[in-house]
C-alpha cells in the first residue's frame, strides 16, 4: 500500500490523499473469468418481477387515483395525489405502480416529511415527456424530485425512462451551435434520510440519471442505469453534500461518469459495480470558481470497468481549496480503459480556455 500526496504550486490548493489497492489493468483480452466473477455477484432487476409482501401495510394503487397507465395520458396528478395520501397515513404504506402499464409523469415535486415509512413500488414503467417544452416555466434541472422524506424505499423491478433523446439532440455538447442550457436529472433526492433505492432500471435520462444531494444514510443497490455512450452528461449516480451513502451490486453504462462524488461528501462506499461505457468513477470536479470543497472517506471495492474513457479519477479546478482524503480503490479490474488512473489538478470543462493560476 502506498500513500500519495499531491500539492499544487498555486497559493490555493486542493490536497489529495489517496490510497490505491490492487488495481488490475488488462487489454481487450481480459479473461472471461474476470467478467464472470463480477457478473455472478449481481442480481439485476427484472421488470415487474418483484414479490411484494404487503403484510399489514396499506397498499395504494395509482389506478384508484385516476392513473390510466396508457403512456399517453398525463398521470402526474394521480401520482401526486397517491403520494399525498400515503404521506399522511400514520401506518406503513405502499404506493403500487403495477407491471404491464406505462405511466406518463410530467415534472413532479414529491415532498416530505411523512407520518410513516413509505414504499414506492415501481413494477411498471414511468416515462417522462418526450418534448423539453414540457418544462417551460418549470425548473429545467428536475423531473422526479423527492425532498425532505425520511425512511423512503423505492423498488419494484420496473423501469424509469427519462426519454432523453430530444434533450441530447439540443445539447451544446452534441452540437456546438446549440445554446448551453440546463437539463433535468431523472430522479433527485434532496435532504432525504434513511433512503433505499433498489431493484430498478433507470434509462435514457435527460442529463444525470440519479442524484443524492444533502442526503444521509442511503443504500442504492441492484440497479441498472443505462444510456448510450454518446449521450451527453448522463452521469449514472451523482453524490453531492451527502454522508453515509452505499452504492452496490449495480451495472451502470452511460455517456458520462458511472458514479461521481463531489462537494463535501463523506463515508461513501461503492461496492461490486460494473461500469462502462462511460467516463469511469470520479471524485470531483472540486473547487470550481475558487470554491472550497472536501471529499473524504471514500471506498471503491470490487469494480469492473470496460470500454470507458477513464478508470478511477480525481479532478480539481485551479484556484479551488480544500482536500480529498482517505480515498481507496480496491480490487478494480479494467478492460480497454483509455486512462486507467487520473489525478487532474488542472481540470477545465469549459468552451473557453481556463486561466492558468499557477
Amino acid at each position: 500500500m502506498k500513500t500519495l500526496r499531491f500539492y499544487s504550486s498555486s497559493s490555493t490548493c486542493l490536497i489529495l490523499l489517496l490510497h490505491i489497492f490492487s488495481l488490475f489493468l488488462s487489454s481487450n483480452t481480459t479473461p472471461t473469468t474476470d467478467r464472470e466473477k463480477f457478473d455472478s455477484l449481481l442480481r439485476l432487476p427484472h421488470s415487474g418481477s418483484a414479490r411484494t409482501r404487503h403484510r399489514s401495510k396499506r397498499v395504494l394503487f395509482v389506478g384508484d387515483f385516476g392513473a390510466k397507465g396508457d403512456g399517453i395520458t398525463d398521470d402526474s396528478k394521480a401520482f401526486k395525489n397517491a403520494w399525498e395520501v400515503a404521506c399522511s397515513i400514520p401506518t406503513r404504506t405502499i404506493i403500487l405502480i403495477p407491471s404491464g402499464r406505462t405511466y406518463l409523469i410530467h415534472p413532479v415535486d414529491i415532498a416530505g416529511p411523512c407520518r410513516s415509512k413509505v414504499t414506492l413500488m415501481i413494477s411498471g414503467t414511468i416515462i417522462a415527456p418526450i418534448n423539453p417544452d414540457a418544462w417551460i416555466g418549470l425548473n429545467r434541472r428536475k423531473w422526479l424530485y423527492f425532498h425532505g422524506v425520511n425512511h423512503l424505499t423505492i423498488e419494484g423491478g420496473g423501469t424509469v425512462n427519462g426519454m432523453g433523446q430530444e434533450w441530447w439532440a439540443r445539447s451544446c455538447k452534441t452540437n456546438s451551435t446549440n445554446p448551453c442550457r440546463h437539463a433535468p436529472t431523472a430522479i433527485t433526492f434532496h435532504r432525504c434520510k434513511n433512503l433505499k433505492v433498489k431493484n430498478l432500471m433507470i434509462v435514457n435520462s435527460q442529463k444525470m440519471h440519479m442524484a443524492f444531494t444533502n442526503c444521509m444514510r442511503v443504500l442504492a443497490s441492484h440497479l441498472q442505469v443505462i444510456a448510450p455512450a454518446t449521450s451527453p452528461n448522463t452521469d449514472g449516480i451523482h453524490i453531492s453534500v451527502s454522508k453515509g451513502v452505499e452504492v452496490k451490486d449495480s451495472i451502470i453504462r452511460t455517456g458520462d461518469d458511472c458514479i461521481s462524488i463531489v462537494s463535501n461528501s463523506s463515508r461513501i462506499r461503492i461496492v461490486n459495480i460494473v461500469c462502462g461505457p462511460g467516463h469511469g468513477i470520479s471524485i470531483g470536479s472540486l473547487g470550481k470558481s475558487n470554491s472550497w470543497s472536501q471529499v473524504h472517506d471514500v471506498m471503491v471495492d470490487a469494480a469492473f470497468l470496460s470500454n470507458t474513457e477513464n478508470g478511477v479519477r480525481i479532478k480539481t479546478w485551479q484556484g479551488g481549496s480544500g482536500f480529498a482524503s482517505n480515498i481507496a480503490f480496491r480490487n478494480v479490474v479494467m478492460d480497454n480503459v483509455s486512462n486507467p488512473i487520473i489525478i487532474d489538478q488542472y481540470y477545465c470543462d469549459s468552451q473557453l480556455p481556463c486561466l492558468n493560476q499557477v
Side-chain angles (χ1 to χ4, degrees):
M1 180 185 75
K2 295 183 179 179
T3 300
L4 308 179
R5 298 173 184 264
F6 299 86
Y7 303 89
S8 80
S9 58
S10 58
S11 58
T12 55
C13 67
L14 279 157
I15 301 174
L16 310 179
L17 305 179
L18 169 65
H19 303 272
I20 302 177
F21 303 81
S22 306
L23 277 82
F24 302 98
L25 314 181
S26 70
S27 67
N28 291 331
T29 59
T30 299
T32 304
T33 53
D34 286 338
R35 295 189 179 91
E36 291 173 347
K37 178 178 69 174
F38 280 88
D39 291 345
S40 67
L41 294 174
L42 302 179
R43 294 184 180 180
L44 300 175
H46 298 282
S47 181
S49 64
R51 294 182 180 179
T52 305
R53 297 181 181 180
H54 300 325
R55 297 182 181 177
S56 61
K57 298 178 183 178
R58 181 167 180 175
V59 180
L60 304 178
F61 295 85
V62 289
D64 293 341
F65 293 83
K68 301 298 183 183
D70 57 11
I72 300 171
T73 306
D74 181 0
D75 289 325
S76 308
K77 185 177 180 180
F79 179 63
K80 185 70 179 289
N81 288 344
W83 173 265
E84 290 176 351
V85 171
C87 196
S88 68
I89 295 174
T91 58
R92 294 187 178 187
T93 306
I94 295 171
I95 302 172
L96 180 59
I97 296 176
S99 62
R101 293 185 176 273
T102 299
Y103 297 86
L104 172 63
I105 305 294
H106 282 241
V108 64
D109 186 305
I110 306 298
C114 296
R115 295 184 66 189
S116 186
K117 298 178 180 180
V118 177
T119 296
L120 177 58
M121 185 72 65
I122 303 174
S123 297
T125 299
I126 292 176
I127 62 172
I130 295 174
N131 193 336
D133 291 345
W135 275 259
I136 291 176
L138 303 174
N139 189 335
R140 289 173 61 91
R141 294 176 180 264
K142 299 179 176 68
W143 173 34
L144 306 177
Y145 180 55
F146 297 84
H147 61 99
V149 187
N150 195 11
H151 291 289
L152 170 65
T153 298
I154 300 181
E155 59 180 336
T159 300
V160 176
N161 189 337
M163 307 293 287
Q165 289 84 350
E166 184 60 29
W167 290 90
W168 308 336
R170 297 187 187 188
S171 170
C172 62
K173 291 200 172 183
T174 300
N175 184 339
S176 60
T177 64
N178 291 334
C180 292
R181 294 175 177 170
H182 297 303
T185 296
I187 310 175
T188 301
F189 299 98
H190 180 65
R191 294 191 180 278
C192 294
K193 298 179 180 178
N194 305 301
L195 171 66
K196 295 179 180 179
V197 186
K198 56 186 179 179
N199 194 31
L200 288 176
M201 288 188 67
I202 306 113
V203 302
N204 296 334
S205 179
Q206 305 91 335
K207 195 174 180 183
M208 294 179 182
H209 284 78
M210 182 179 295
F212 303 106
T213 65
N214 287 95
C215 291
M216 294 180 63
R217 297 184 293 278
V218 175
L219 174 61
S221 65
H222 296 96
L223 303 176
Q224 284 194 78
V225 183
I226 310 293
T230 55
S231 57
N233 297 120
T234 52
D235 295 52
I237 297 175
H238 183 73
I239 302 167
S240 175
V241 201
S242 295
K243 298 179 180 179
V245 179
E246 182 171 9
V247 181
K248 66 178 185 178
D249 304 329
S250 297
I251 289 178
I252 305 172
R253 307 186 189 279
T254 69
D256 209 300
D257 293 332
C258 291
I259 299 173
S260 53
I261 304 165
V262 304
S263 305
N264 308 316
S265 296
S266 61
R267 303 201 311 275
I268 311 298
R269 286 177 50 83
I270 312 298
V271 181
N272 197 28
I273 299 296
V274 173
C275 165
H279 293 181
I281 298 173
S282 292
I283 311 295
S285 63
L286 307 175
K288 186 176 183 179
S289 302
N290 298 319
S291 62
W292 187 93
S293 188
Q294 64 171 339
V295 171
H296 61 92
D297 298 296
V298 177
M299 169 72 76
V300 176
D301 191 359
F304 176 51
L305 289 81
S306 64
N307 302 309
T308 56
E309 181 176 309
N310 307 301
V312 293
R313 176 169 60 156
I314 300 175
K315 49 185 178 178
T316 67
W317 292 77
Q318 291 187 75
S321 59
F323 61 87
S325 66
N326 196 23
I327 296 170
F329 300 103
R330 292 180 175 173
N331 304 313
V332 179
V333 177
M334 301 185 193
D335 177 23
N336 195 30
V337 172
S338 299
N339 306 293
I341 302 171
I342 297 180
I343 299 176
D344 182 3
Q345 291 186 275
Y346 296 88
Y347 182 72
C348 178
D349 184 18
S350 172
Q351 290 183 319
L352 299 174
C354 294
L355 178 66
N356 191 335
Q357 301 186 40
V358 175

